[in-house]
Amino acid sequence: MNDDSQILIARLLTHQTLRRDDKMVKRVLSDELFRAEVDKRLLESGLKMLDNVYADHVTLALHRAVEPKVFGAKDIWQNNNFGLTRDGVALLVVLWAQIILPKRERQETHQNADDDQDDMFDKDKPMPRAEDTSIGISYTALLSDFGDKLGKKTRMDMNLGSLSKLGFIERRGDLILEGPLLDLMMDTDVLKERIINGALADVFKRAPITVAVPRKSVDAVAVDEPLADAVADADDDTTI
């Protein structure tokens, strides 16, 4: 086996995530032969590499074909290998919707978090990195808006602690920020339509659309039972 392939896979298994600007990661994302070799070695072990241009990190996940054999074909939350509870997954979806979707809109419009929105030359800039466009949300506001539906303060604090340990989020005082896995382990192209136009349609207070919604437009509206149903339905399209 190529030593570089072996080292990269071992590093990903050991560290869980690596930054896109890492030398070996940059190579696997740009060298087709090297990527094919890495993908082949991973597939032989039932794994795949996850990356997208909107995230600052890459990681590994189980290949979809082996998930039933690992988690069981009939078990609830069969591909939740992080052991999150139902309200924990619901909280994860809410955080993803309020952090990742606005971030992706800023990236697609080539706008940094602190840019002037009236900059007429913004689209001439390269697409900014996640760390330059991702804006945290307030824990206090999250608890006020969603606490009653997501287990109140005790459960929410426990689930936030789990999500932080798993690498989905980072906590800085009152701010909840994007962690290295939040934009990697969710299938945004599928979930964006399903979540915004389904369970979170009332939260976003707008008619069904297919574009990301800026977080500033989110109203403080409680989430009803359809959220849990949509999370269960969307579970087939997540990698967690």
Side-chain angles (χ1 to χ4, degrees), residues 23 33 38 55 75 100 122 140 149 160 205 230:
K23 183 178 179 179
L33 292 178
V38 171
D75 293 342
I100 297 304
D122 59 351
T140 302
K149 293 297 181 181
L160 285 172
K205 281 291 187 181

Side-chain angles (χ1 to χ4, degrees), residues 14 133 143 156:
T14 301
T133 52
L143 181 62
M156 183 173 288

Side-chain angles (χ1 to χ4, degrees), residues 54 97 99-113 117 122-123 127-128 133-134 183 188 192 196 204 206 209-217:
Y54 299 99
I99 294 176
I100 297 304
L101 293 183
K103 181 203 73 172
R104 285 202 173 193
E105 181 174 281
R106 286 187 288 271
Q107 288 175 304
E108 289 171 357
T109 57
H110 297 250
Q111 180 184 340
N112 288 344
Q117 295 190 19
D122 59 351
K123 291 188 178 181
M127 188 176 75
T133 52
S134 186
D183 200 6
T188 298
K192 179 170 65 175
I196 291 181
F204 284 99
R206 59 190 302 163
I209 54 173
T210 58
V211 299
V213 182
R215 182 170 56 85
K216 292 181 180 178
S217 68

Side-chain angles (χ1 to χ4, degrees), residues 98-234:
Q98 296 206 55
I99 294 176
I100 297 304
L101 293 183
K103 181 203 73 172
R104 285 202 173 193
E105 181 174 281
R106 286 187 288 271
Q107 288 175 304
E108 289 171 357
T109 57
H110 297 250
Q111 180 184 340
N112 288 344
D114 55 356
D115 277 354
D116 181 353
Q117 295 190 19
D118 294 326
D119 184 358
M120 68 178 66
F121 302 108
D122 59 351
K123 291 188 178 181
D124 294 330
K125 304 174 184 177
M127 188 176 75
R129 298 175 300 176
E131 64 183 19
D132 297 324
T133 52
S134 186
I135 299 176
I137 63 175
S138 165
Y139 164 79
T140 302
L142 181 72
L143 181 62
S144 174
D145 293 350
F146 300 101
D148 288 345
K149 293 297 181 181
L150 295 177
K152 300 188 182 298
K153 186 178 188 303
T154 299
R155 288 291 301 176
M156 183 173 288
D157 286 348
M158 183 173 65
N159 286 323
L160 285 172
S162 297
L163 295 177
S164 179
K165 290 178 181 178
L166 292 169
F168 286 107
I169 61 170
E170 295 179 1
R171 300 287 301 274
R172 297 180 188 174
D174 187 63
L175 280 180
I176 302 172
L177 302 168
E178 173 186 351
L181 292 183
L182 190 59
D183 200 6
L184 285 173
M185 304 296 278
M186 311 278 279
D187 190 337
T188 298
D189 292 336
V190 173
L191 292 179
K192 179 170 65 175
E193 175 74 15
R194 183 174 298 179
I195 298 300
I196 291 181
N197 295 338
L200 294 182
D202 290 338
V203 178
F204 284 99
K205 281 291 187 181
R206 59 190 302 163
I209 54 173
T210 58
V211 299
V213 182
R215 182 170 56 85
K216 292 181 180 178
S217 68
V218 178
D219 293 332
V221 181
V223 178
D224 292 324
E225 289 303 319
L227 174 59
D229 296 336
V231 172
D233 187 37

Side-chain angles (χ1 to χ4, degrees), residues 8-122:
L8 176 60
I9 293 172
R11 290 178 64 207
L12 282 167
L13 288 170
T14 301
H15 300 293
Q16 187 181 45
T17 62
L18 293 174
R19 290 186 60 87
R20 289 179 68 90
D21 55 13
D22 178 272
K23 183 178 179 179
M24 296 188 74
V25 174
K26 289 171 69 174
R27 180 184 171 192
V28 79
L29 295 177
S30 60
D31 185 331
E32 292 184 7
L33 292 178
F34 184 47
R35 178 61 182 265
E37 181 179 355
V38 171
D39 286 343
K40 178 178 181 294
R41 304 300 306 195
L42 289 171
L43 182 59
E44 290 172 349
S45 300
L47 299 171
K48 61 182 178 180
M49 191 172 79
L50 294 181
D51 72 274
N52 69 64
V53 297
Y54 299 99
D56 286 346
H57 297 79
V58 299
T59 191
L60 298 181
L62 282 177
H63 196 278
R64 185 70 76 185
V66 305
E67 287 184 1
K69 297 177 182 178
V70 174
F71 299 120
K74 300 298 183 181
D75 293 342
I76 298 176
W77 307 114
Q78 60 176 315
N79 45 355
N80 178 12
N81 54 321
F82 288 117
L84 295 172
T85 58
R86 191 177 181 86
D87 57 354
V89 177
L91 175 60
L92 175 60
V93 172
V94 170
L95 292 171
W96 169 82
Q98 296 206 55
I99 294 176
I100 297 304
L101 293 183
K103 181 203 73 172
R104 285 202 173 193
E105 181 174 281
R106 286 187 288 271
Q107 288 175 304
E108 289 171 357
T109 57
H110 297 250
Q111 180 184 340
N112 288 344
D114 55 356
D115 277 354
D116 181 353
Q117 295 190 19
D118 294 326
D119 184 358
M120 68 178 66
F121 302 108
D122 59 351

